[in-house]
Amino acid sequence: QVQLVESGGGLVQAGGSLRLSCAASGRSLSTYHMGWFRQAPGKERASVATINSSGTSTYYADPVKGRFTISRDNAQNTVYLQMNSLKPEDTAVYYCGAGRVYASMGVTPNTVNYWGQGTQVTVSS
């Protein structure tokens, strides 16, 4: 069993930055592929950025390419999402997820085995 806890969300003005963290306990994350996902009100949960277990492959959804960076520190059992140039449309609850399957789009919501509780990101215009 893996427990995931996200932190770092908050309220920021458009153009600002936030860094989300996802800390794991229970098991080492080194054998899991990881992803950040977001869900806005009335919308489905969608992939934002994913990274394979070794950190050698990443995937970014088109809306965040060039603005967001996913990284991981397996020694610290933590995954990060650096978000720059934030836009109001980035407003959502952000979740991290761990999975065993990494395909062309990395980890997808359907292949996540463990979810965090989510952290709210609100970007004001």
Side-chain angles (χ1 to χ4, degrees):
Q1 194 80 348
V2 176
Q3 291 80 43
L4 302 173
V5 178
E6 301 97 335
S7 61
L11 173 64
V12 64
Q13 288 189 331
S17 298
L18 283 174
R19 188 192 196 205
L20 305 183
S21 299
C22 173
S25 61
R27 281 187 183 176
S28 170
L29 280 185
S30 63
T31 60
Y32 287 90
H33 311 301
M34 299 298 297
W36 284 97
F37 307 83
R38 67 187 182 187
Q39 188 167 17
K43 296 188 176 181
E44 292 187 353
R45 193 170 299 186
S47 295
V48 174
T50 67
I51 188 167
N52 69 348
S53 57
S54 61
T56 57
S57 178
T58 57
Y59 163 84
Y60 294 94
D62 285 344
V64 307
K65 280 181 181 177
R67 299 188 297 122
F68 290 12
T69 302
I70 188 170
S71 62
R72 64 189 298 159
D73 185 339
N74 285 341
Q76 296 294 323
N77 238 20
T78 303
V79 179
Y80 303 98
L81 184 68
Q82 178 66 44
M83 306 187 294
N84 299 328
S85 302
L86 283 161
K87 304 175 180 181
E89 51 264 43
D90 294 319
T91 295
V93 178
Y94 283 70
Y95 299 88
C96 70
R100 294 290 196 184
V101 176
Y102 195 86
S104 60
M105 293 175 62
V107 184
T108 64
N110 290 338
T111 61
V112 167
N113 298 112
Y114 301 103
W115 290 102
Q117 84 289 349
T119 185
Q120 176 71 46
V121 171
T122 303
V123 184
S124 63
S125 58

